[in-house]
Amino acid sequence: MAAKKKSPAKKPAAKKAAKGKPDYELFNNKTQAFIYNMQVNAVQRMLDFDYVSRRETPSVAAVINPTGRNSLQKFFFGPKEILVPVFKSMENAAKKHKNVDVLISFASFRSAPQSVEEAFALKQIKTIVIIAEGVPERRMKELNAKASELGKVIIGPATVGGIQAGAFKIANTAGPIDNIVESKLHRPGSVGFVSKSGGLSNEAYNMIARNTDGLYEGIAIGGDMYPGSTLMDHLMRYEKNPKVKMLVCLGEVGGLDEYNIVEALDKKKIKKPLVMWVTGTCAKAFKTDVQFGHAGAKAGGDAETADAKNKALKKAGAIVPNSFDDYAEKINKTYKKLVKEGKIKPAPEVEAPIVPMDYAKAVKEGLVRKPANFITSISDERGEELLYGNMTITDVFKKDIGIGGVLSILWFKQQFPKYATKFIEMTIMVVADHGPAVSGAHNTIVTARAGKDLISSIVSGMLTIGPRFGGAIDGAAQMFSSAYDRGLTPQEFVNEMKKKGVNIQGIGHRIKSVHNPDMRVTIIKEYVQKNFKKTPLLDYALEVEKITTSKRDNLILNVDGCIGICFADMLRNEMPKKEADEYIQMGALNGLFILGRTMGMMGNYLDQKRLMQPLYRHPWDDILYMKE
Amino acid sequence: MAQKAIREADGKRMMARLLKEYSGGKFDIKDRYVTVGPDTDLAKLPTKYKWLAKEKLVVKPDQLVKRRGKNDLILVGANYQQAKKWIKEKSKGPITIYGEFDAKGKPKDKGTVGQLTHFIIEPLVPHDDSDECYVAIMSTITGDTIMFYHEGGVNVGDIDAKASKYDIPVGTLPSAKDMEKNLLGKVPKDRKKIVGEFIEGLFKFYADLNFAYLEINPIVVTKDSVMPLDLAAKLDDTAAFQSGKKWGPTEFPSPFGRMRTKEEDYIDMLDTKTGASLKLTVLNPEGRIWTMVAGGGASVIYADTITDLGFMDEMANYGEYSGNPNEEFTYLYAKTVLDLMTKKPNKKGKYLIIGGGIANFTDVAKTFTGIIRALKEYGDKLKKQKVKIYVRRGGPNYKTGLKNIGALKEEIGLDIEVYGPETHMTNIVSMALKGGK
């Protein structure tokens, strides 16, 4: 391939000094940024860094969330919570926060250029960080040209960002907070670092902390072919910055940026000691051209190889190790020499305030405990598969346990045998509907016709279920079992109730009678007699019925009574009596009615909607207006 | 995610389809380019492309091979029968292709061995050698550079030194007159206009389709026609979302000589299934030093260090896992590497470097569970083959991760040493290789 044009050494783009900041500084401990796109974790990490660096103000002034709306977002600043404003438009954010001069764009590779152009339009923004990887190269070159025309600095794309120790941290740079403190990034040292790789920059900060008095500033320019700012741009800033005493740089195979550094060394434009290594010396081990992880990491000619660059740098006076292995050693030696010469006065150690651990993390690490506010014992959705009791949803279907089986697990925490689950299903079917005239259906219909939604309509019907409507199932089960358990004969029971003047729940029907039996009762009764092991309560109730029907034809065991009593029999067959009685006390049997009847109420709701019935208004002639 | 080379035929088809539009209708190149791949039915081709049977043909390998002429890999003026025979012959088995030649035409390097699989067939364009020119456009840091030389072809020589160069700042589209003024000084007067107009259209085509490199050598120029003969090009594949439709179906082939193993293909497949990154290149299956390194940057440095310490020939693989792959993917990745490294024992023993920098946000303990699972599965083989394992890693939860992986020494008796961020990242390489030679 023909030679590429060597990149001209760009002038440091920030020509004019921002207020209170020399032109070689992009950040200080008052710098505030906008974060483009809602990146909750990145913002929190920046604020945690701010706290350990003892910043007075948070480094994030606002979040720009173009797809959201203006609002406020909660974050921690140390132990306290603060509200960070969220703006839909960067322009509006800028009007409110005139001091902000950094934009950190988390926009995707498609929309990152647009976010950068928005920032171009704002005079106050001086530094723009592009995190996204995969911005088209031509587009990036256009942005770079515009940025240098406008005197703005771009860091990235395809980068994690950078950090000015103790002052300002870009987004996710430098990992978790304990690493930041361990790498002494909460207070400034004397070393200026720049690399392409973001991942390795974290490693380098650790290395610098162990071998010098720490980092002053570190920037990862990103792995792209045409980064917004180059290794050279940042080295020149560090060269000019009196607080930076030595330079550390990590180059990479591919591109020619490193030769600008060679030239700067030759021309004595870089005078501070520079420890530098260019990675990718292994490329020669590959039989063909190799593309490493970064887009720019591919040698397009001999000059672009790591070996050639390392050689040229060494010749020009950079301190170049033999391999990455003795990189740290070279950094350490250079530092010690500068200390010895009195050029570096080691930065004092500063204790970092402790960032309170997030509750979730503390729990994960087993450092805190608290009693749970909720307990559950019927199902568990957290694992690989949903569990009903101990049964996986796969088994629910494989074993075909039916609605009755599911109900028995969720209500009674055990899987009932087939005869019982079938019985449950039968009762649900039997109570599903009983015409439009009963209170539940009626209310549902009226509500549906008032234009309300499904849930409002059926709830209005459901709320009528109680002692007079549907509640007899519970009542019958309770009354009959109590009489039976107290050893009353059927006659004694009837007498007792008569004496109290109370109707026996579950006895009596408006129309049906001995001679005109309720088929629902017949079906349930026959099934129960045929399939239950024992039916002492049903037997007892039938004896009672004999007595009551001898008095009046229609005092039969009705459907509520039959279901309630048979259910009590079933529960007593499947669990200790005490437990069974408790379920009845809790109202489990009414649940059966509610469950079944909901089907009917929903049917009524859908029916009214389907028939497009208008608002119901009760006729005057059906209302007796009483006047005093 | 980078500049990627495309096949000559794909590039020429793009020109045939679109150059007319970009040149205001002035240059209409006919699409008469056929790609022959391993699955192409050569017998059926002439039914689809009638001209194959009628015209004199040119056949060339089409898989990013440079210096095809010097390597005697261009068949000129053949009929279709001869072309078929030539393709079969050239793709019979591996061949060696050389990169550099001396003045006498002798190869100057060891060459690259590989298998030819793809060819381009096109009609012969009869022309005088003196009508051959050279044109190339390449991406630079500030825009693009056009290079033109009034001679071209196989023997054009040091084009960098000879050619006229015209730097185009990004965002500008020079006119035909600009091209004439800046590039065409040595072109005969009666041809200047047509060549200028051609380059004007070619540049628009190049820029709008997000090419990063486009070289046509030779390009045949007469006073009334311009015809590309040999073309090499790279696209910026990150621009696929903008220009993909205009590209049409386009392949980004591996360079000649890179023969993928089934394990490499398997890792590629895993890579496409996860948002994380999994990469594997087998350099030398007999090598004794295997690596399993987290992170794109760190993995290069580990490979560098092995190279720099003089063990390039023993380096078995290059690869990386990054972007927080889940346990299952990490397990499958580790398993693949362990399987490869234990295929054949070596008397001298082997080394496995499980390395990485200080992770930003990858949960080290979590990713290690996948590696531990694979290590347990291959424990017996690793012990039998005297594999010495070195681990170095930092980042979230690294202490737990290191403790768990280090426990394999007690649990199953692996020869394993474990280090954290207090140890320089690549120190485990020198520890492993000290006295290993």
Side-chain angles (χ1 to χ4, degrees), chain A residues 275-303:
Chain A
V275 185
M276 181 156 178
W277 174 245
V278 179
T279 72
T281 54
C282 64
K284 55 184 175 286
F286 296 78
K287 283 180 207 120
T288 56
D289 283 355
V290 57
Q291 173 76 57
F292 294 112
H294 293 151
K298 183 174 181 175
D302 288 344

Side-chain angles (χ1 to χ4, degrees), chain B residues 70-377:
Chain B
K70 298 242 178 187
N71 276 293
D72 196 20
L73 284 173
I74 302 181
L75 177 68
V76 180
N79 64 28
Y80 189 63
Q81 287 311 317
Q82 290 165 320
K84 265 198 318 196
K85 200 177 140 218
W86 191 80
I87 288 172
K88 277 182 189 153
E89 195 184 295
K90 295 291 174 195
S91 50
K92 214 160 50 192
I95 61 159
T96 306
I97 293 181
Y98 301 95
E100 299 292 334
F101 291 86
D102 62 17
K104 287 178 194 157
K106 273 201 176 158
K108 273 165 68 179
D109 55 20
K110 277 194 285 182
T112 307
V113 181
Q115 173 68 46
L116 289 181
T117 53
H118 287 76
F119 297 85
I120 173 174
I121 311 180
E122 59 194 355
L124 174 70
V125 179
H127 63 277
D128 288 336
D129 280 358
S130 60
D131 292 338
E132 292 187 349
C133 298
Y134 174 99
V135 64
I137 315 176
M138 61 205 68
S139 175
T140 67
I141 194 161
T142 52
D144 300 280
T145 297
I146 307 178
M147 289 173 54
F148 186 85
Y149 192 57
H150 63 285
E151 291 168 15
V154 188
N155 294 313
V156 68
D158 184 1
I159 198 74
D160 261 355
K162 289 182 185 171
S164 315
K165 289 179 189 152
Y166 181 19
D167 292 338
I168 320 286
V170 69
T172 48
L173 291 173
S175 68
K177 281 269 174 251
D178 294 329
M179 301 294 181
E180 281 185 43
K181 206 168 79 192
N182 290 287
L183 287 169
L184 307 182
K186 289 179 185 160
V187 174
K189 258 193 187 149
D190 59 345
R191 297 179 180 184
K192 271 190 182 160
K193 185 162 178 278
I194 187 167
V195 180
E197 285 170 350
F198 179 82
I199 299 176
E200 181 194 12
L202 188 70
F203 185 77
K204 281 185 195 159
F205 164 80
Y206 162 97
D208 197 47
L209 268 69
N210 280 291
F211 276 89
Y213 184 76
L214 178 60
E215 181 191 67
I216 308 174
N217 178 38
I219 183 161
V220 173
V221 173
T222 63
K223 64 180 180 6
D224 42 32
S225 82
V226 178
M227 194 65 199
L229 293 194
D230 287 356
L231 177 148
K234 286 179 187 178
L235 294 172
D236 169 15
D237 76 340
T238 60
F241 74 95
Q242 290 179 340
S243 305
K245 271 197 187 144
K246 288 178 182 162
W247 294 346
T250 304
E251 271 188 277
F252 298 107
S254 298
F256 173 80
R258 174 96 48 90
M259 281 188 269
R260 308 282 295 164
T261 63
K262 72 175 197 306
E263 288 84 359
E264 289 168 326
D265 286 341
Y266 175 68
I267 297 297
D268 278 357
M269 188 273 292
L270 289 183
D271 187 47
T272 59
K273 286 194 176 167
T274 157
S277 164
L278 300 170
K279 301 272 175 325
L280 177 68
T281 304
V282 178
L283 298 170
N284 171 15
E286 315 260 299
R288 296 196 300 130
I289 306 163
W290 292 78
T291 57
M292 204 144 60
V293 178
S299 62
V300 175
I301 293 195
Y302 275 94
D304 282 356
T305 309
I306 295 167
T307 308
D308 299 336
L309 295 181
F311 290 85
M312 189 170 98
D313 297 335
E314 291 282 19
M315 182 158 62
N317 71 320
Y318 166 78
E320 60 115 358
Y321 65 96
S322 60
N324 216 355
N326 70 18
E327 191 205 323
E328 187 62 18
F329 280 106
T330 318
Y331 162 72
L332 293 172
Y333 183 80
K335 202 177 121 141
T336 308
V337 173
L338 294 180
D339 194 59
L340 278 169
M341 88 172 284
T342 53
K343 260 190 188 158
K344 221 169 146 190
N346 186 310
K347 272 191 300 211
K348 291 197 265 177
K350 292 178 188 176
Y351 300 96
L352 174 62
I353 309 279
I354 301 176
I358 300 170
N360 280 308
F361 292 100
T362 299
D363 187 325
V364 174
K366 224 153 109 194
T367 51
F368 270 15
T369 50
I371 297 180
I372 291 169
R373 209 168 117 202
L375 285 172
K376 280 185 177 166
E377 207 175 305

